[in-house]
Amino acid sequence: MTTYLSSASVGVTPQLAIVVPCYNEQEVLPETTKRLLALLDKLVTDRKVTPTSHVLYVDDGSKDQTWALIHQAHAQNPAIKGLKLSANRGHQIALIAGLFAAEGDVVVSIDADLQDDLAAIESMLDAYAQGHEVVYGVRKLRHVDSFFKRFSAEGYYTLLNLLGVKVVFNHADYRLMSRRAVEAIKEYGEVNLFLRGIVPLIGFRSTAVYYDRSERFAGESKYPLKKMLALAMDGITSFTAFPLRMISMIGLVVSFSSLCMILWVLWIKFFTDAALPGWASSVIPIYFLGGLQLLSIGVLGEYVAKIYFETKRRPRYFIEELL
Ligand code: UDP
Ligand code: MG
């Protein structure tokens, strides 16, 4: 076990690294670079961060000009750094690659489309200066998201909490982590890291800052429904075995009711002359139990799949180039 001394030393100006995963973000990147550099400039002038602070773009195997743009920005300003993954591995993995590669006393992760208000970074740094090791960016309102996205996201957070998974409500992956917090995350060996669930698990002093989320200023969402569902399923199966336990409980309840049903049927048969052809009472349980069994096998399958992927211990990503 490694012991980590607090890296949140009060009064010492920290070096900041802003990690930005990018997948086909050529439309937003120039503007993002401009805004991030302006922010860094201001933070350095205000002596909130050291002049060695920088932005680390993680190119998640983009197929467009994203990497070329990162190259160009790096040539113009060394405060822009880049890391290119060898293939598209998805937002979570790209984020992890960036967090693990980033140098700095504090690391802030943010999406390339800057939907999350940059001004919150300053508040995060203030919270860090007060000794917090993790600062969650939490969105105040979801009025810019579609009804579907808002409804599904809030329902999902509620479900996770009901299942006993500790997540911060309305927090995505916009957060500040101290060096110590990042090092703690590295100790989690699982290949499929669901950061929103893991970060609260590491403990340490944490707090939240609130901000308004705006619309993507260019380009399209890189999170289609399919990826969203995969991430949602990961969040559940990585953190709780409750669905498995639920199957056993439902199984118990159904078995008990069947027992009562058998007694009732026998009673009708032997003690009354009301024994009907019994269509409904035989057809309904067939559908019900069939559905229940398929659902249960599906849930078991989800966990088996998880074990299958974890036992392979496959590497999460490969870094192709580093700027
Ligand atoms: N992203 C990534 N790899 C992917 C998909 C997305 O690195 O396979 C990045 C993307 O470039 C962006 C962030 O993850 O910086 C969040 O994606 P997006 O803004 O499209 O998601 P939304 O805000 O619509 O949920
Ligand atoms: Mg976005």
mmCIF file of all heavy atoms in Angstrom, residues 25 111-116 149 213 216 220-222, ligand 2:
data_model
loop_
_atom_site.group_PDB
_atom_site.id
_atom_site.type_symbol
_atom_site.label_atom_id
_atom_site.label_comp_id
_atom_site.label_asym_id
_atom_site.label_seq_id
_atom_site.Cartn_x
_atom_site.Cartn_y
_atom_site.Cartn_z
ATOM 1 N N GLU A 25 -12.756 16.733 -33.304
ATOM 2 C CA GLU A 25 -13.191 18.039 -32.805
ATOM 3 C C GLU A 25 -12.596 19.192 -33.599
ATOM 4 O O GLU A 25 -12.358 20.268 -33.056
ATOM 5 C CB GLU A 25 -12.818 18.197 -31.322
ATOM 6 C CG GLU A 25 -13.491 17.217 -30.381
ATOM 7 C CD GLU A 25 -14.969 17.514 -30.128
ATOM 8 O OE1 GLU A 25 -15.556 18.349 -30.843
ATOM 9 O OE2 GLU A 25 -15.539 16.889 -29.221
ATOM 10 N N ASP A 111 -14.334 18.792 -21.289
ATOM 11 C CA ASP A 111 -14.598 18.370 -22.667
ATOM 12 C C ASP A 111 -14.129 19.437 -23.647
ATOM 13 O O ASP A 111 -14.092 20.620 -23.326
ATOM 14 C CB ASP A 111 -16.102 18.154 -22.879
ATOM 15 C CG ASP A 111 -16.597 16.918 -22.167
ATOM 16 O OD1 ASP A 111 -15.754 16.144 -21.676
ATOM 17 O OD2 ASP A 111 -17.826 16.744 -22.094
ATOM 18 N N ALA A 112 -13.827 18.986 -24.857
ATOM 19 C CA ALA A 112 -13.288 19.892 -25.868
ATOM 20 C C ALA A 112 -14.297 20.937 -26.332
ATOM 21 O O ALA A 112 -13.923 21.997 -26.815
ATOM 22 C CB ALA A 112 -12.807 19.085 -27.064
ATOM 23 N N ASP A 113 -15.596 20.632 -26.189
ATOM 24 C CA ASP A 113 -16.595 21.564 -26.732
ATOM 25 C C ASP A 113 -16.880 22.726 -25.784
ATOM 26 O O ASP A 113 -17.671 23.601 -26.098
ATOM 27 C CB ASP A 113 -17.894 20.819 -27.056
ATOM 28 C CG ASP A 113 -18.397 20.036 -25.855
ATOM 29 O OD1 ASP A 113 -17.884 20.239 -24.740
ATOM 30 O OD2 ASP A 113 -19.309 19.216 -26.035
ATOM 31 N N LEU A 114 -16.218 22.741 -24.629
ATOM 32 C CA LEU A 114 -16.377 23.814 -23.639
ATOM 33 C C LEU A 114 -17.831 24.108 -23.289
ATOM 34 O O LEU A 114 -18.232 25.250 -23.133
ATOM 35 C CB LEU A 114 -15.671 25.093 -24.103
ATOM 36 C CG LEU A 114 -14.166 24.960 -24.345
ATOM 37 C CD1 LEU A 114 -13.549 26.322 -24.545
ATOM 38 C CD2 LEU A 114 -13.481 24.269 -23.173
ATOM 39 N N GLN A 115 -18.627 23.059 -23.194
ATOM 40 C CA GLN A 115 -20.012 23.235 -22.728
ATOM 41 C C GLN A 115 -20.007 23.606 -21.260
ATOM 42 O O GLN A 115 -20.953 24.171 -20.749
ATOM 43 C CB GLN A 115 -20.790 21.927 -22.900
ATOM 44 C CG GLN A 115 -21.230 21.657 -24.295
ATOM 45 C CD GLN A 115 -22.114 20.431 -24.334
ATOM 46 O OE1 GLN A 115 -21.627 19.302 -24.285
ATOM 47 N NE2 GLN A 115 -23.408 20.635 -24.413
ATOM 48 N N ASP A 116 -18.905 23.225 -20.606
ATOM 49 C CA ASP A 116 -18.805 23.513 -19.182
ATOM 50 C C ASP A 116 -18.087 24.838 -19.008
ATOM 51 O O ASP A 116 -17.075 25.100 -19.648
ATOM 52 C CB ASP A 116 -18.028 22.383 -18.498
ATOM 53 C CG ASP A 116 -18.635 21.035 -18.803
ATOM 54 O OD1 ASP A 116 -19.830 20.866 -18.512
ATOM 55 O OD2 ASP A 116 -17.948 20.179 -19.370
ATOM 56 N N LYS A 149 -32.346 13.862 -22.971
ATOM 57 C CA LYS A 149 -31.047 13.761 -22.306
ATOM 58 C C LYS A 149 -31.171 14.098 -20.818
ATOM 59 O O LYS A 149 -30.590 13.451 -19.959
ATOM 60 C CB LYS A 149 -30.030 14.679 -22.985
ATOM 61 C CG LYS A 149 -28.627 14.466 -22.495
ATOM 62 C CD LYS A 149 -27.607 14.549 -23.612
ATOM 63 C CE LYS A 149 -26.260 14.072 -23.094
ATOM 64 N NZ LYS A 149 -25.264 13.927 -24.118
ATOM 65 N N ARG A 213 -24.337 25.078 -17.650
ATOM 66 C CA ARG A 213 -23.822 24.386 -18.821
ATOM 67 C C ARG A 213 -24.442 25.000 -20.065
ATOM 68 O O ARG A 213 -25.637 25.219 -20.128
ATOM 69 C CB ARG A 213 -24.189 22.909 -18.745
ATOM 70 C CG ARG A 213 -23.580 22.064 -19.839
ATOM 71 C CD ARG A 213 -23.677 20.614 -19.437
ATOM 72 N NE ARG A 213 -23.699 19.714 -20.576
ATOM 73 C CZ ARG A 213 -22.647 18.971 -20.931
ATOM 74 N NH1 ARG A 213 -21.536 19.049 -20.274
ATOM 75 N NH2 ARG A 213 -22.748 18.138 -21.952
ATOM 76 N N ARG A 216 -22.983 23.167 -26.975
ATOM 77 C CA ARG A 216 -21.769 22.956 -27.742
ATOM 78 C C ARG A 216 -21.680 24.088 -28.754
ATOM 79 O O ARG A 216 -22.660 24.360 -29.437
ATOM 80 C CB ARG A 216 -21.985 21.632 -28.479
ATOM 81 C CG ARG A 216 -20.772 20.894 -28.832
ATOM 82 C CD ARG A 216 -21.218 19.571 -29.443
ATOM 83 N NE ARG A 216 -20.401 18.519 -28.893
ATOM 84 C CZ ARG A 216 -19.149 18.303 -29.305
ATOM 85 N NH1 ARG A 216 -18.632 19.012 -30.255
ATOM 86 N NH2 ARG A 216 -18.439 17.352 -28.738
ATOM 87 N N GLU A 220 -20.753 18.270 -33.519
ATOM 88 C CA GLU A 220 -21.884 17.500 -32.976
ATOM 89 C C GLU A 220 -21.452 16.678 -31.782
ATOM 90 O O GLU A 220 -20.272 16.428 -31.590
ATOM 91 C CB GLU A 220 -22.383 16.510 -34.030
ATOM 92 C CG GLU A 220 -22.708 17.144 -35.324
ATOM 93 C CD GLU A 220 -23.207 16.144 -36.329
ATOM 94 O OE1 GLU A 220 -22.812 14.955 -36.242
ATOM 95 O OE2 GLU A 220 -23.988 16.558 -37.192
ATOM 96 N N SER A 221 -22.437 16.227 -31.033
ATOM 97 C CA SER A 221 -22.145 15.370 -29.888
ATOM 98 C C SER A 221 -21.471 14.098 -30.378
ATOM 99 O O SER A 221 -21.870 13.516 -31.381
ATOM 100 C CB SER A 221 -23.431 15.027 -29.152
ATOM 101 O OG SER A 221 -23.149 14.062 -28.169
ATOM 102 N N LYS A 222 -20.415 13.667 -29.649
ATOM 103 C CA LYS A 222 -19.738 12.422 -30.009
ATOM 104 C C LYS A 222 -20.242 11.299 -29.108
ATOM 105 O O LYS A 222 -19.614 10.271 -28.959
ATOM 106 C CB LYS A 222 -18.220 12.591 -29.847
ATOM 107 C CG LYS A 222 -17.641 13.823 -30.517
ATOM 108 C CD LYS A 222 -17.729 13.743 -32.029
ATOM 109 C CE LYS A 222 -17.110 14.942 -32.735
ATOM 110 N NZ LYS A 222 -17.746 16.222 -32.444
HETATM 111 MG MG MG B 2 -20.407 17.981 -25.067
#
